[in-house]
Amino acid sequence: MCRLTRVLALALALLWAPWRVLHGAPLAELSGDQDFQLFLHKNLEFTRKIKGDVAALQRVVCDTFQLCQEEELLLVRQDLGIAQAPLEQCHSRSFHAEACFSQIRSGLRVYQGSLAAVRELLPSHAALVETLQLDAANLSSNIQQQVEDLGLATVTLPAEDRDPLPAFSSRFHHQVGGFFILANFQRFLETAYRALRHLARL
Amino acid sequence: MAKSELCRGLEQGKVRITWMLDNEPMAGSQRRGAGGSEVSNLTLPQFNRTQARLWCWVEWNGTKQRVGVAEIRAGYPPAKPFNLSCILNLSDYALTCQWEPGADSHLPTSVALKFARSRALVETGCTPQGGHNRCTVPRQLLQLYRQMELWVSATNALGTAESEHLCIDPMDVAQLDPPALQSIQSIPFQSDCVTVAWEVARSHAHMELLCELRYRAPEDAAWALVTGIPGQARTAQHCGFLFGTPYRFQMRCRRSSAQGYWSDWSPGRNYTTHEKAPAGTLDAWWSARPAEADGQLEVQLRWKAPRRREANGRVLGYRVTLSPRRRGRDPPAICNTTCTQCNFSAPAGTTRVYLSAYNAAGESAATEVVLLERKGQPLAGLRAVPGGEHSLWVHWESPLAPPAAYVLEWQRVPVEPGGCSACWQMEHDGATTAALIHDGIEPFQRYNISVYPLYSDAIGVPVHTAAYSKQKAPSFAPKLHLKSISKSDAELCWEPLPVEMQNGFIIGYTIFWANSTAEVSSAAVGPSLSSFVIQELKPSTLYKVHIMASTAAGSTNGTSLTLVTMALDDIEIQFLFLTLGLVFVLLILLLICFQKNGRVKQQFWPSVPDPANSSLGKWVPAELPQEPLQVPGVREPSLATISTVTVLERAAGKQPPSRGKEPTTEPTGTFPVQPQPYVQQERPGTAWATMEPQRGRSGSREPVQYARVVGAGYKGQQHVPPRLYLRCGSSSSQPLLGDPSPSPQPYENLWFHGAAPQGCPGDGGCPEELPATFPLLQGLRIGGAEELQDCRVF
């Protein structure tokens, strides 16, 4: 129960992190920057790569633990308290580039840590999970550097947010936890991808 | 530097420090230093090796002791590495880089691949192992989809050198796996389009790829390339393929966002497009002549296989008919063949035949072949030049009336047994004046080329030429034959070379001749001639002659012919023979004259009557009147005219010319041994006196005035006692007969018969009574008839 509380606390922390939003360059200016376009183009591909790898791991979980359908695991999910990393700044209605980039970076960091649970769950696919973690870190770093290159405001994530590994009460919960980490990560990447693509099309 | 105080065991006293560079003694300068130390300084003025050991020695107990060593190394600062390149392996996302090292610095050098992520610190990516100039940066150190700066750093004791910095996104240098071609189909069906489907590797699924498709048919010289195919599309369609043609397809991709590396070409996949009925018309050419017997027309029809673009697949055969196809009904075929020629008989008056090709998908429209007469205007000119070893360029001048097309025919000389059905081609452009022919053209072979202009209503009269695609020297030269030879001329002839041995157009022959004094002469002979007369040769001289046959590309010498000129020419020989014949005839005539002409004969061989076989009664009246006639000047005087008989002296060593030839004039009798009573020797004998010295010495008597006796020994018969004969003092040729005995051989020259006088048998043979009527004998009897009897013992 204690662990569950901690996970919930982590989720709340992710959702309600104190954003420090500053004025940045208008999007119209960004869209004409060739470097920015190149950044978007490359990292869209990078996001696709990560999405592909996550999908591969989801297939592995499905094949290995017969955990394939999210609808069948909603009840356990409530117990696990695994939350989706927030990306509301990246939605088209409330799109804000700097905030979106910050949310993406933040979420990537969260999933980079959560993937450790998946690595424990799938030791035979540890290399793929590690690659995924590295990719998530690289994508985050790419965004950070691009934001810096653009002169946008950056957010320094609080140190206490770093990687509290979720605790699972049973092997099954661990498996379901892994399943939802991957599922959430996939959804997160999809949203991030759409946000980047949106920027690329401007 | 060595200090004696540091060395235990050294005795107090003189310490001598020496140096050796490896095994080479070096001279140092030794001095006393502070605190009683001994200091030796050594400066190496030049050090031309990369490393060495400098040893310090001290003498101890009479032996040299090593007391210290210094390692010396010489070298350069590290050279700058160059040509750095990297490639990302997508299986493990590790970046492998390689480079070229610079010159050897001769010093221990550490090399590392350094990198810096954006605004990050410099880190070491990897260090090469085992002396290689490559190493791999693991994934953990890489920053994907972002520029990284990489370079090679080489460091030794003298410094550090860095290669040019390479700024790359590792993904831009990813080595992609080739796509896998899945299926190839003709879609839509019956079109010339092909749809290709492929799969990219799963590890590339997230990438945007740009791919290339290439294909080729076996006959194609090069690949056809289709570029700009999006890799994610998974399928692509391309049109313009030939029907019924096997193609091989390959594909490769690279990332569209970067000018990175291409993947390898995928494994090839074959696909044969579907067939369609042949299209277009066929090029056809014919020769026709009326048959001898039944009035039919013998036609040889030749055609060219349709081009690939018109064949629309593999042609299975050809049909020739005498009438076109109507309403889908096929007229009977007079030829149905897979060859490209057909010989057939057509009814007289046939002017058109119809030719079509068919494949598995159908039959082409018929090509109408009109058998026109060959009586049109010919070309104005024609020539052929080599277009290479296996081709000829044929150039012609168009006739005044512009033809619609041309047909070129060529044939090897001499004609090949099977002929060449492919040795013709059609030029469809009536304005062209040149064409390249290459079917069956071989070097060193002569080809007769004919060009026919094709008019709308006739075929032109052909014009011919001959050509070689390449020439060389003849295979051999003709064999020389000597046709005739004289004192100064020799006529040579030769057989022209067969065409297959000429290897080119014979441009001429050269005749060389040389005698033993090595004077080589030559003469050029035109190619059309086959004989030559060498003039101004020396008589009776041996010459070596050979012929050289030449083409534009070389010459070949023939074998040598040796000939000897005559000493005389024919006229001289005829003259010589004529002269010799004349001389012979003259000699014959002379002999005949001698034989027939009595006077001449008598001159040399006087007729001497044989006293033995004659009687005076018969002889006198018959012979005497003739004597004066035969010998003018009365050689036989009467008794009254004989005044002296002189013994004729024979000239020493000289034979009276008439003596040997006048056997009948020789005395047949024997002379008296002692002629002294009636023989006067005017001069003591010379020639014969030596033979009969006693006779010479006896010549002191009073000479007898009526006779002269000539004595001479026959040459070579000196042992024979000289015989004497009596002769009239008036030099009459009538000998005096000293031998009264009858001779069995009255006209034999008894002078040569030394034994003859002695042949008389001692018991008789000589007549006892000399004829008293013989005037000379009468005279002799006057002097002493008894002496004549002594002839028996003479």
Side-chain angles (χ1 to χ4, degrees):
Chain A
M1 198 64 189
C2 184
R3 285 178 186 168
L4 182 62
T5 308
R6 287 174 60 186
V7 170
L8 283 172
L10 170 64
L12 284 172
L14 283 171
L15 287 169
W16 302 109
W19 301 109
R20 188 171 163 236
V21 179
L22 297 177
H23 296 290
L27 289 176
E29 288 182 18
L30 291 176
S31 61
D33 190 324
Q34 280 195 345
D35 284 345
F36 184 61
Q37 286 299 321
L38 185 61
F39 156 78
L40 292 173
H41 193 85
K42 285 187 170 187
N43 287 279
L44 276 168
E45 185 178 305
F46 200 5
T47 309
R48 287 197 301 272
K49 176 187 184 303
I50 299 169
K51 275 165 56 67
D53 290 344
V54 172
L57 283 174
Q58 285 180 296
R59 285 193 295 274
V60 172
V61 169
C62 175
D63 294 344
T64 308
F65 307 119
Q66 297 179 358
L67 301 176
C68 305
Q69 299 295 323
E70 196 172 342
E71 295 78 16
E72 299 170 357
L73 301 167
L74 294 176
L75 189 61
V76 181
R77 181 188 175 187
Q78 290 179 355
D79 291 342
L80 293 175
I82 293 177
Q84 177 79 44
L87 273 180
E88 75 281 353
Q89 296 294 327
C90 296
H91 290 152
S92 58
R93 284 169 297 179
S94 58
F95 185 81
H96 192 279
E98 296 94 322
C100 176
F101 285 149
S102 293
Q103 284 192 327
I104 293 172
R105 285 188 57 222
S106 177
L108 286 172
R109 283 194 60 179
V110 169
Y111 287 115
Q112 186 185 346
S114 306
L115 284 171
V118 179
R119 188 175 59 193
E120 288 176 7
L121 196 64
L122 299 168
S124 59
H125 294 83
L128 178 58
V129 179
E130 285 173 14
T131 298
L132 203 52
Q133 288 177 301
L134 284 168
D135 287 348
N138 280 175
L139 180 59
S140 175
S141 176
N142 289 349
I143 293 169
Q144 165 77 15
Q145 288 172 12
Q146 187 61 36
V147 167
E148 289 176 7
D149 287 348
L150 291 169
L152 300 179
T154 57
V155 176
T156 304
L157 298 176
E160 58 271 20
D161 290 345
R162 288 184 67 90
D163 307 325
L165 267 178
F168 300 106
S169 58
S170 67
R171 176 78 178 160
F172 171 65
H173 280 184
H174 193 173
Q175 291 169 356
V176 174
F179 174 87
F180 277 109
I181 289 169
L182 291 172
N184 288 345
F185 192 21
Q186 187 67 269
R187 268 193 293 272
F188 173 87
L189 289 168
E190 181 62 34
T191 304
Y193 182 77
R194 287 180 183 178
L196 293 174
R197 194 172 61 185
H198 170 73
L199 284 172
R201 287 175 179 173
L202 285 176
Chain B
M1 186 169 67
K3 292 184 178 179
S4 61
E5 62 186 11
L6 296 178
C7 302
R8 288 184 192 172
L10 282 177
E11 297 172 3
Q12 292 299 318
K14 182 71 176 173
V15 174
R16 188 158 173 267
I17 303 169
T18 56
W19 302 91
M20 282 190 84
L21 187 66
D22 285 339
N23 295 319
E24 185 184 347
M26 309 298 288
S29 59
Q30 188 171 342
R31 60 180 170 80
R32 184 169 295 277
S37 63
E38 288 290 330
V39 178
S40 178
N41 286 328
L42 174 67
T43 303
L44 296 176
Q46 61 176 17
F47 186 79
N48 55 5
R49 57 189 94 176
T50 57
Q51 72 178 81
R53 283 191 173 86
L54 182 65
W55 293 95
C56 177
W57 301 78
V58 174
E59 283 191 18
W60 181 69
N61 280 349
T63 59
K64 294 177 79 175
Q65 297 292 311
R66 294 175 195 260
V67 294
V69 65
E71 293 256 358
I72 304 175
R73 298 193 70 135
Y76 306 98
K80 186 176 175 181
F82 56 99
N83 278 353
L84 172 65
S85 64
C86 302
I87 192 164
L88 184 75
N89 184 354
L90 288 180
S91 63
D92 59 359
Y93 284 86
L95 185 73
T96 300
C97 296
Q98 60 182 13
W99 59 90
E100 301 281 341
D104 186 6
S105 69
H106 304 294
L107 297 177
T109 304
S110 62
V111 180
L113 181 71
K114 303 278 188 179
F115 72 92
R117 290 184 264 206
S118 299
R119 286 186 293 279
L121 295 175
V122 174
E123 296 178 67
T124 297
C126 57
T127 52
Q129 303 295 321
H132 294 115
N133 300 309
R134 58 185 298 163
C135 67
T136 301
V137 184
R139 167 70 184 94
Q140 289 80 358
L141 298 177
L142 296 179
Q143 173 88 22
L144 296 187
Y145 292 97
R146 190 82 191 173
Q147 294 282 348
M148 292 178 69
E149 198 174 342
L150 296 121
W151 67 95
V152 181
S153 173
T155 305
N156 68 12
L158 299 180
T160 299
E162 289 183 355
S163 69
E164 298 290 330
H165 288 215
L166 187 67
C167 288
I168 51 166
D169 170 2
M171 287 303 295
D172 288 346
V173 293
Q175 174 62 59
L176 304 186
D177 294 328
L181 290 174
Q182 297 292 315
S183 69
I184 303 170
Q185 302 173 67
S186 290
I187 296 176
F189 190 63
Q190 288 292 330
S191 73
D192 64 349
C193 298
V194 164
T195 299
V196 180
W198 67 92
E199 284 289 334
V200 295
R202 178 174 289 181
S203 59
H204 309 351
H206 60 281
M207 297 179 190
E208 287 184 5
L209 300 175
L210 206 57
C211 300
E212 286 182 347
L213 179 72
R214 70 177 185 180
Y215 59 89
R216 75 191 294 184
E219 297 85 1
D220 291 340
W223 293 89
L225 194 64
V226 184
T227 58
I229 302 172
Q232 314 311 121
R234 303 288 194 270
T235 64
Q237 188 187 59
H238 187 67
C239 298
F241 291 91
L242 300 180
F243 292 97
T245 305
Y247 286 98
R248 184 169 184 81
F249 291 84
Q250 283 185 312
M251 202 173 192
R252 68 175 182 178
C253 298
R254 72 173 175 184
R255 290 177 68 234
S256 60
S257 59
Q259 300 295 314
Y261 300 121
W262 281 104
S263 71
D264 292 332
W265 285 103
S266 69
R269 194 176 177 92
N270 296 328
Y271 178 71
T272 302
T273 53
H274 63 264
E275 290 194 349
K276 204 169 89 171
T281 57
L282 298 167
D283 286 346
W285 183 234
W286 75 93
S287 60
R289 58 183 174 83
E292 294 175 359
D294 51 4
Q296 294 273 76
L297 193 65
E298 292 288 339
V299 180
Q300 186 196 43
L301 185 65
R302 292 183 284 173
W303 57 89
K304 295 289 184 188
R307 287 172 285 275
R308 276 176 60 205
R309 190 162 287 281
E310 294 175 344
N312 290 340
R314 192 169 69 88
V315 173
L316 298 176
Y318 303 91
R319 274 162 43 90
V320 180
T321 60
L322 293 177
S323 58
R325 194 187 312 167
R326 287 196 181 89
R327 289 193 291 273
R329 293 177 59 188
D330 288 336
I334 52 175
C335 282
N336 189 356
T337 176
T338 57
C339 303
T340 54
Q341 68 169 353
C342 172
N343 298 331
F344 58 89
S345 297
T350 301
T351 57
R352 285 173 163 79
V353 295
Y354 299 88
L355 173 65
S356 59
Y358 57 91
N359 61 16
E363 186 167 346
S364 70
T367 301
E368 186 182 66
V369 181
V370 185
L371 307 179
L372 296 169
E373 291 186 59
R374 296 178 178 178
K375 60 181 183 182
Q377 198 176 4
L379 296 176
L382 176 66
R383 65 190 175 88
V385 294
E389 277 198 21
H390 296 279
S391 60
L392 285 165
W393 270 109
V394 184
H395 299 269
W396 60 84
E397 294 173 33
S398 302
L400 292 176
Y406 297 93
V407 166
L408 292 86
E409 243 184 348
W410 59 95
Q411 197 165 46
R412 192 160 145 181
V413 186
V415 178
E416 293 170 284
C420 178
S421 63
C423 293
W424 69 278
Q425 73 184 42
M426 185 175 282
E427 293 298 318
H428 291 278
D429 182 4
T432 190
T433 57
L436 184 71
I437 59 176
H438 45 73
D439 275 337
I441 302 289
E442 297 290 335
F444 319 124
Q445 301 292 335
R446 183 184 295 180
Y447 291 91
N448 279 341
I449 301 164
S450 309
V451 180
Y452 300 77
L454 305 187
Y455 302 98
S456 56
D457 55 351
I459 307 291
V461 175
V463 177
H464 311 284
T465 188
Y468 284 86
S469 65
K470 190 180 181 184
Q471 300 188 49
K472 66 176 180 180
S475 297
F476 54 82
K479 185 173 171 57
L480 278 180
H481 301 284
L482 182 63
K483 198 171 180 183
S484 66
I485 191 163
S486 66
K487 193 168 82 174
S488 63
D489 300 339
E491 184 174 7
L492 305 164
C493 63
W494 58 89
E495 293 288 331
L497 280 178
V499 173
E500 60 268 33
M501 298 300 169
Q502 291 183 5
N503 300 332
F505 293 112
I506 298 289
I507 56 173
Y509 299 101
T510 310
I511 311 285
F512 296 91
W513 65 93
N515 60 14
S516 56
T517 58
E519 294 173 8
V520 180
S521 304
S522 66
V525 184
S528 59
L529 299 178
S530 62
S531 69
F532 179 70
V533 179
I534 307 176
Q535 294 176 327
E536 297 178 2
L537 297 176
K538 292 179 184 172
S540 188
T541 305
L542 184 142
Y543 282 91
K544 284 186 181 281
V545 186
H546 75 265
I547 188 169
M548 182 176 79
S550 301
T551 66
S555 303
T556 302
N557 283 324
T559 53
S560 174
L561 175 72
T562 303
L563 55 87
V564 180
T565 49
M566 314 281 281
L568 300 169
D569 59 19
D570 288 345
I571 295 172
E572 287 174 333
I573 289 171
Q574 287 172 9
F575 182 77
L576 185 68
F577 274 103
L578 199 64
T579 307
L580 287 173
L582 278 173
V583 168
F584 185 72
V585 167
L586 282 173
L587 278 174
I588 297 294
L589 285 175
L590 204 60
L591 283 174
I592 292 170
C593 275
F594 280 139
Q595 289 292 329
K596 294 294 181 188
N597 193 330
R599 288 179 68 188
V600 177
K601 182 182 177 185
Q602 199 64 35
Q603 186 69 31
F604 293 101
W605 302 283
S607 165
V608 179
D610 184 1
N613 292 328
S614 66
S615 65
L616 194 59
K618 282 167 63 179
W619 183 65
V620 170
E623 297 291 330
L624 280 179
Q626 290 177 0
E627 284 292 324
L629 292 172
Q630 289 175 356
V631 183
V634 191
R635 298 295 176 96
E636 199 65 37
S638 63
L639 287 172
T641 62
I642 296 173
S643 59
T644 61
V645 175
T646 310
V647 177
L648 295 176
E649 182 185 5
R650 181 188 180 277
K654 282 194 174 181
Q655 188 90 8
S658 60
R659 188 169 297 168
K661 295 180 181 178
E662 295 173 4
T664 55
T665 62
E666 296 302 313
T668 56
T670 58
F671 294 95
V673 178
Q674 299 293 331
Q676 287 87 352
Y678 54 89
V679 174
Q680 180 191 12
Q681 284 187 310
E682 288 181 332
R683 292 163 59 192
T686 53
W688 63 271
T690 58
M691 300 169 194
E692 302 285 340
Q694 73 280 4
R695 202 168 289 176
R697 285 187 300 268
S698 63
S700 61
R701 301 218 183 152
E702 191 69 22
V704 180
Q705 291 299 315
Y706 67 96
R708 177 176 294 174
V709 178
V710 176
Y714 183 69
K715 184 180 180 184
Q717 293 182 339
Q718 284 82 353
H719 62 282
V720 179
R723 281 135 297 192
L724 300 176
Y725 65 93
L726 299 177
R727 203 165 191 179
C728 296
S730 58
S731 70
S732 167
S733 62
Q734 183 69 36
L736 298 177
L737 301 176
D739 188 0
S741 62
S743 171
Q745 294 170 316
Y747 292 98
E748 188 177 359
N749 188 354
L750 296 178
W751 178 264
F752 299 103
H753 296 261
Q758 296 170 351
C760 293
D763 55 353
C766 288
E768 293 177 356
E769 287 287 324
L770 289 169
T773 56
F774 194 66
L776 189 53
L777 295 180
Q778 286 284 11
L780 289 173
R781 291 191 72 169
I782 295 169
E786 70 280 9
E787 297 298 328
L788 290 172
Q789 301 301 319
D790 296 336
C791 72
R792 289 174 188 157
V793 298
F794 185 72

